[in-house]
Amino acid sequence: MPRTASRLVRAAAASLAVALALTGCAATTPAEPAASTETDAAVEHADLSLQLRFIANAQFAGSYMAQENGHYDDEDLTVSMTPGGVGIAIDPLVAQGTADIGISSAANVAMARAEGADLKIIGAGYQHSATVVMSLPENPIETLAELKGRKLGAVSSNFAMVIAFLEANGIAEDEVELVSIQGDAAPLLSGQVDAMMTIATSQPLVLEAQGIEPVLIPMAENNFDELDFTYIVTERTLADPAKRAAVVRFLRAEIAGWNDALADPEAAADLAVDVYGKDNGLDRAQQVAQATAQVSLFQTDDDAPGIFWLSDAGMERTLATLDKRGIDADESLFDTSILTEVYGG
């Protein structure tokens, strides 16, 4: 079923309802990680580098909060954050040791592993796919079947994923005309395409700010769901006791930062606009909308101890979606031991 946004806050609430309906759970108060069991004498200060997967903006608000609210300091960590961007591949940077921790996607990690990279997913911010098919209210595409014979815009590097998504829903590649776009909504607004693939926390909010109520068809509701915004490290890091301990402390601090950001999206957006992304020309209203809308993506199954959790159901649907994309992966893609320790399991 498509969703038509009418207000930014209502859009966020609708996203939350979708995520909860998919998992059959209810929203819960964010859980705090277990306190460290290490004595002060046993904890060694660690310097860690975190590679973000895009330019500095509200998408990474939890990391900013962890820094600014002293959560990294509480764990005796110094964490340097490096923004990503177009053309920056996160997985090789982590695999090569340029970054200790990265934020990537399950698909990219699985493909890197297939090529020999010793990467593991140790947590996931987004519990469901944020990708949607977006169309305009004056030319709405309300079901995937209505894409047949229409022009669908997507970034060319995502064509294989889009084709797999269509085929998973009974639509052959030659039944839809794929058009390469840059990712913004201009081709949709100009009529160059009838619909476009985008992220729910991105272009739909841009249109909403212009008074346009886009029609959205979520991938997560249509046979193509997966964990995303995944935190990755190397197996080498996990095998090193000192480095592993530092990663446990990092995730504990990161979770605390994200709990802060999810509880106060406006403060999170302010850090993105005024501090970390101050040179990126960010619009505060859009950043508040993004920080608010992504709250629903962090909602976990009701039996999860807290955010970032790698549930059995989440891992299973991720592997099923990767299989539909022709990406070879199994349970070894994930390492749940870090979060188990973080939450005192």
Side-chain angles (χ1 to χ4, degrees), residues 23-341:
T23 59
C25 65
T28 57
T29 302
E32 295 294 338
S36 175
T37 58
E38 299 168 309
T39 64
D40 291 340
V43 175
E44 294 185 5
H45 179 83
D47 295 309
L48 295 175
S49 53
L50 172 62
Q51 177 64 56
L52 308 180
R53 68 177 182 180
F54 196 54
I55 64 170
N57 67 82
Q59 184 180 33
F60 310 106
S63 300
Y64 308 153
M65 286 287 206
Q67 190 81 275
E68 298 299 320
N69 291 353
H71 298 306
Y72 293 148
D73 289 339
D74 291 343
E75 297 292 345
D76 205 5
L77 298 173
T78 298
V79 179
S80 60
M81 285 177 264
T82 302
V86 177
I88 297 178
I90 307 305
D91 309 274
L93 294 175
V94 178
Q96 295 162 9
T98 303
D100 297 305
I101 304 161
I103 300 176
S104 186
S105 69
N108 285 343
V109 179
M111 288 188 288
R113 281 175 57 86
E115 295 177 357
D118 67 333
L119 298 173
K120 289 278 191 178
I121 293 174
I122 59 171
Y126 294 175
Q127 296 292 298
H128 296 279
S129 172
T131 305
V132 297
V133 177
M134 181 172 76
S135 59
L136 298 176
E138 61 267 26
N139 182 29
I141 292 176
E142 299 183 337
T143 67
L144 291 176
E146 294 175 20
L147 281 172
K148 294 180 180 180
R150 311 292 283 276
K151 294 181 179 180
L152 176 61
V155 176
S156 58
S157 60
N158 290 332
F159 274 15
M161 179 270 291
V162 175
I163 292 168
F165 168 61
L166 294 173
E167 291 179 344
N169 287 279
I171 302 171
E173 178 181 353
D174 60 5
E175 291 182 294
V176 176
E177 182 180 348
L178 287 181
V179 178
S180 178
I181 62 174
Q182 294 302 309
D184 62 74
L188 181 64
L189 293 170
S190 68
Q192 180 184 347
V193 296
D194 300 300
M196 64 178 287
M197 306 298 299
T198 186
I199 303 299
T201 56
S202 178
Q203 294 306 302
L205 302 182
V206 173
L207 295 188
E208 178 82 17
Q210 298 174 23
I212 300 171
E213 301 178 0
V215 177
L216 308 179
I217 303 177
M219 271 191 174
E221 295 179 3
N222 291 277
N223 307 311
F224 218 81
D225 196 12
E226 60 190 330
L227 298 167
D228 196 11
F229 204 82
T230 57
Y231 283 73
I232 64 172
V233 298
T234 63
E235 294 178 35
R236 303 187 306 278
T237 291
L238 296 176
D240 183 307
K243 290 181 178 179
R244 186 186 186 282
V247 170
V248 171
R249 284 150 47 204
F250 167 81
L251 266 195
R252 187 181 293 120
E254 192 79 354
I255 287 168
W258 270 108
N259 280 335
D260 292 347
L262 298 174
D264 192 350
E266 291 205 10
D270 285 340
L271 284 177
V273 174
D274 299 330
V275 183
Y276 292 87
K278 64 181 180 180
D279 297 325
N280 293 335
L282 303 174
D283 177 78
R284 185 180 185 277
Q286 192 278 331
Q287 291 294 290
V288 170
Q290 180 175 346
T292 301
Q294 70 184 1
V295 170
S296 65
L297 295 170
F298 280 80
Q299 296 296 324
T300 57
D301 296 348
D302 58 1
D303 59 348
I307 60 173
F308 284 28
W309 192 247
L310 299 172
S311 68
D312 289 342
M315 291 186 288
E316 286 172 7
R317 64 175 174 264
T318 299
L319 293 175
T321 296
L322 293 177
D323 183 62
K324 293 169 186 175
R325 296 179 62 172
I327 299 173
D328 187 28
D330 57 26
E331 292 81 1
S332 65
L333 178 65
F334 306 96
D335 185 306
T336 62
S337 66
I338 300 295
L339 281 171
T340 299
E341 185 170 342

